[in-house]
Amino acid sequence: MSESGPPAETVLLPQQFRMPHFETGSFLQRRRDLYANIANARRSEPPDEEGNRYQGVAEIRALLDLAEFDLAHGLAAEGRDVLAGLTPGLVRAHELKRASLEVGLAAIDTRDIPLSEGAEALLDPKYDLWRDQAVLVLLHHWKKGEVEEAGKYVDVAAKRLYQYSRPFVRKALPAMLDTAVETRQWAAARRLAGRFALDPELAESSNYLFQLARTAEAGGDYLTAFDNYLKAGQGNDLWAHRARMGLIQLGLNTGTLPLQDARTLLEQASRDWTGDAWGVAVLKQLADTNLQLGDGLGALKVLSNIMSRYPDTPDAQLARQQARSLWTDFYARGAAGKLSLSDFLTGHRRISEGYRFEPGFDLQTEALADRFMSLGATMVAADEYRETHDFLLVARDLGLVETDDRRLDMLRLKQADALYRGGQLDELAYILAEGLRGEEADLQDRLNLLRAGLHAERGEAADVVDTEVAEPTLHYLRLRAAAHFGRGDWEEAKRLYAIILGRAGKDATYSDAVRLLLSAHRSGDSETAIEVARRFQEVTQRPDWARIANSLTEEAPDLLPLRAVTAQQRVDTAEKTLENLRNLKSSGN
């Protein structure tokens, strides 16, 4: 007696689409009729005593018909809106229909909206007997950039296009032909190209010309490839963009386009096309071209753009790794004296705009400050110690990095020492008034030694906080504010720094604004934080100000301390959030 395994799962397949049925007749009249069907169905199911309305079978069928009508006419957004109007809990047959229409509409939707769980399930191989699956799975993988996976369905999909409406085919055909050409399935590519030739609109499209150019290039006919790339590149859609990129690559492959000219064209292309996988591809090629030209700083700028524009992608992770290698090498060469001071400082200022919040970057900028300090350039050193300290402090508040008070105090002491050696006694007084964050005896001794030197130079009293004056100067207010900030008295520090910025006007310093923002943030005064972020943005054009102000003025998450991933998202979306804060503030006036 033989043993039998478990019974095979019975798979209920969705109905095949009826697109040609919905393509016939007048578009406007058919649409009016479908809406009339929905209205009639709703009248037949009046609301209950509590005013709740029940979707009956007639209404559900009418809504599904309208969604399929939109699919047949290539109206992805409209069709998905119709499906959103269906209530949950449909019977299995209706749920399969709804899910299949969602997959179809998503396949031609230019937006990147995730599929529902039910729709995603229909892409499983167990539904491979559903006649529409091959086309839809191909389009699904192509949209995600998974061309090799999409290529597995090209042959079957190419044979089934006859069962779809012309508007749907116009939406689907470019991706299908692109997949066939990319995966070198020439028989299917010829079949799909034949469909282009049958439709005058498609035959003149940038996609078709682009694919002709690619095919000619693959066959070594570079002149025909050049002509078709040039024609296809006149438009402004994805295929025109890819044609322009094809021209650049053709020039590089044939040695007719110098690298310097290629970089100029790629820079233009990176401004013209952003937001998707093709936008990332341009930036990656531009970074590589910069490296080939020996321009590491230019490559770092491009890699920073990849990280900020596409933060949650594998491309951003790779860009971060590549960038870390580049900036580590740059600062190592600068610290070792292998770069002139001018090149070292200029390169640092270019790099730091995009990498201040990267873990470990503070070590590199400290090394730069050490280098300038060793050569007597105390002003440059003091500025960079301060910047390093302040960014590290903010990054710690945001949860981006882990660092202790001793590390911050060491940077603060280095800044103070540079100020003392450079004779910047006013600035030194602010540092001394603020004090150190920790209580370690060796660091306190160093601070007290600097304090003694300052008082020997100026004869000022040490206990500034306990001294009251009738008409405090701006310098005195800064001393008091720094002292309260150092003690963690955020309310008093906030009050004093607000007075300072009010009196200083356009002469307000970046450091004053940072400390007012931090004081307001730490005291829970979001209104003041928003106001200072908005106001000081008008005083300084520094890009890092937007990152700091945005991150500290947006609403805090429910759980504290901040998670690193949440904080990183704040930093990466700084400019957008700051604009929202401005709008919020102006609408409240």
Side-chain angles (χ1 to χ4, degrees):
M1 181 176 179
S2 62
E3 294 185 2
S4 60
E9 178 186 1
T10 301
V11 178
L12 183 61
L13 300 176
Q15 293 180 350
Q16 184 177 340
F17 292 140
R18 299 173 297 153
M19 291 189 202
H21 167 74
F22 289 99
E23 191 183 12
T24 58
S26 164
F27 173 86
L28 292 177
Q29 186 58 52
R30 288 296 300 273
R31 195 170 183 82
R32 279 195 292 266
D33 291 344
L34 289 168
Y35 274 108
N37 291 342
I38 296 171
N40 292 334
R42 287 175 176 170
R43 282 193 292 269
S44 68
E45 297 286 350
D48 59 22
E49 296 179 356
E50 298 179 355
N52 299 318
R53 201 172 55 76
Y54 170 73
Q55 281 188 341
V57 173
E59 182 181 349
I60 292 170
R61 287 176 175 171
L63 286 168
L64 291 171
D65 282 347
L66 178 59
E68 190 162 5
F69 173 87
D70 288 335
L71 176 63
H73 288 276
L75 305 174
E78 293 82 350
R80 297 184 85 166
D81 284 345
V82 172
L83 293 181
L86 288 164
T87 57
L90 301 179
V91 298
R92 181 58 177 161
H94 289 157
E95 173 55 32
L96 277 173
K97 184 67 174 178
R98 188 210 63 76
S100 68
L101 288 170
E102 183 186 347
V103 176
L105 291 162
I108 59 171
D109 196 345
T110 56
R111 303 169 300 173
D112 186 18
I113 301 176
L115 291 171
S116 68
E117 185 177 345
E120 188 82 34
L122 294 183
L123 302 174
D124 191 277
K126 72 180 182 180
Y127 289 99
D128 60 1
L129 294 179
W130 173 35
R131 286 185 59 81
D132 295 306
Q133 195 201 52
V135 172
L136 302 184
V137 172
L138 183 154
L139 295 174
H140 173 78
H141 285 299
W142 182 86
K143 282 186 67 177
K144 294 174 66 177
E146 300 167 350
V147 180
E148 291 300 322
E149 191 66 25
K152 298 176 182 178
Y153 301 89
V154 163
D155 191 55
V156 175
K159 296 173 182 176
R160 290 187 176 171
L161 277 180
Y162 70 89
Q163 66 195 42
Y164 300 110
S165 61
R166 178 171 294 185
F168 180 88
V169 170
R170 283 177 175 171
K171 295 273 188 177
L173 197 55
M176 295 175 66
L177 180 57
D178 184 59
T179 302
V181 173
E182 187 73 31
T183 56
R184 299 294 192 267
Q185 299 185 57
W186 301 117
R190 283 192 293 271
R191 188 180 301 114
L192 292 166
R195 288 299 301 264
F196 273 85
L198 294 175
D199 188 325
E201 182 176 323
L202 286 175
E204 296 298 321
S205 68
S206 55
N207 170 263
Y208 189 47
L209 293 170
F210 169 67
Q211 301 300 351
L212 290 177
R214 291 180 73 194
T215 305
E217 184 180 5
D221 187 352
Y222 299 131
L223 184 59
T224 300
F226 176 84
D227 287 341
N228 282 309
Y229 278 137
L230 192 62
K231 292 176 185 176
Q234 302 305 308
N236 56 10
D237 60 4
L238 170 63
W239 307 106
H241 163 72
R242 291 185 64 184
R244 292 189 289 270
M245 292 298 294
L247 268 176
I248 296 172
Q249 196 59 53
L250 179 63
L252 291 173
N253 292 342
T254 57
T256 56
L257 180 67
L259 269 179
Q260 188 68 46
D261 293 341
R263 175 166 65 178
T264 301
L265 294 173
L266 287 168
E267 286 172 345
Q268 179 64 47
S270 71
R271 293 189 291 269
D272 292 343
W273 196 269
T274 62
D276 59 12
W278 304 109
V280 178
V282 177
L283 292 174
K284 289 166 67 176
Q285 187 169 356
L286 178 55
D288 184 62
T289 302
N290 275 312
L291 289 175
Q292 292 181 58
L293 288 167
D295 184 3
L297 297 180
L300 279 165
K301 175 65 175 176
V302 178
L303 293 170
S304 174
N305 288 337
I306 295 175
M307 292 159 55
S308 61
R309 294 180 191 177
Y310 311 94
D312 299 321
T313 64
D315 291 303
Q317 296 176 14
L318 291 173
R320 178 167 281 106
Q321 294 173 13
Q322 189 176 8
R324 177 177 293 276
S325 175
L326 290 172
W327 53 254
T328 299
D329 177 69
F330 171 83
Y331 284 100
R333 288 188 293 116
K338 296 180 180 179
L339 296 173
S340 70
L341 293 182
S342 175
D343 288 345
F344 195 13
L345 189 57
T346 300
H348 159 68
R349 287 172 176 166
R350 287 182 63 187
I351 295 171
S352 61
E353 289 186 6
Y355 296 95
R356 279 287 190 184
F357 289 104
E358 287 298 303
F361 193 75
D362 58 293
L363 299 174
Q364 309 302 327
T365 56
E366 182 184 10
L368 176 141
D370 289 344
R371 172 67 176 161
F372 278 86
M373 186 70 173
S374 69
L375 297 173
T378 57
M379 286 298 296
V380 174
D383 285 344
E384 197 51 50
Y385 286 133
R386 174 185 53 79
E387 294 262 302
T388 303
H389 172 277
D390 287 353
F391 274 100
L392 195 57
L393 177 63
V394 171
R396 187 174 78 167
D397 267 23
L398 295 174
L400 295 176
V401 299
E402 292 184 5
T403 192
D404 56 22
D405 286 343
R406 183 176 180 85
R407 168 84 175 117
L408 291 166
D409 286 345
M410 288 290 291
L411 287 166
R412 188 53 108 203
L413 286 168
K414 283 187 172 185
Q415 180 193 356
D417 188 40
L419 291 171
Y420 181 74
R421 294 190 190 188
Q424 303 296 310
L425 300 183
D426 284 351
E427 292 295 325
L428 173 60
Y430 307 146
I431 301 298
L432 296 176
E434 185 173 312
L436 301 180
R437 307 181 68 83
E439 300 293 336
E440 299 186 40
D442 62 328
L443 300 187
Q444 290 295 335
D445 285 348
R446 288 178 59 181
L447 185 72
N448 289 332
L449 194 60
L450 286 166
R451 183 176 285 121
L454 174 67
H455 294 321
E457 293 280 346
R458 304 182 58 173
E460 293 182 347
D463 197 3
V464 182
V465 172
D466 295 332
T467 304
E468 297 290 340
V469 294
E471 296 181 4
T473 64
L474 202 57
H475 171 60
Y476 173 80
L477 287 173
R478 281 198 173 104
L479 288 173
R480 286 181 59 85
H484 284 292
F485 187 93
R487 292 181 175 187
D489 184 359
W490 310 124
E491 286 291 342
E492 186 62 9
K494 178 187 69 175
R495 185 185 73 81
L496 290 170
Y497 279 119
I499 295 172
I500 290 168
L501 261 69
R503 288 178 57 176
K506 290 186 178 180
D507 295 327
T509 69
Y510 179 77
S511 183
D512 290 338
V514 167
R515 276 156 179 73
L516 176 54
L517 189 64
L518 283 169
S519 299
H521 168 66
R522 292 171 179 174
S523 65
D525 186 352
S526 59
E527 183 176 353
T528 297
I530 292 172
E531 174 59 23
V532 71
R534 180 200 62 76
R535 177 192 163 192
F536 209 73
Q537 180 69 13
E538 298 168 358
V539 177
T540 179
Q541 299 301 312
R542 294 175 54 141
D544 47 50
W545 173 257
R547 297 188 182 96
I548 294 172
N550 166 73
S551 300
L552 293 180
T553 54
E554 68 178 356
E555 240 179 277
D558 293 336
L559 297 177
L560 293 177
L562 294 177
R563 293 181 296 112
V565 65
T566 303
Q568 186 63 55
Q569 290 169 355
R570 291 182 175 190
V571 174
D572 289 338
T573 59
E575 294 294 344
K576 182 177 179 181
T577 306
L578 188 58
E579 188 61 33
N580 291 339
L581 289 171
R582 289 176 176 171
N583 296 336
L584 175 64
K585 188 67 180 173
S586 61
S587 65
N589 292 337

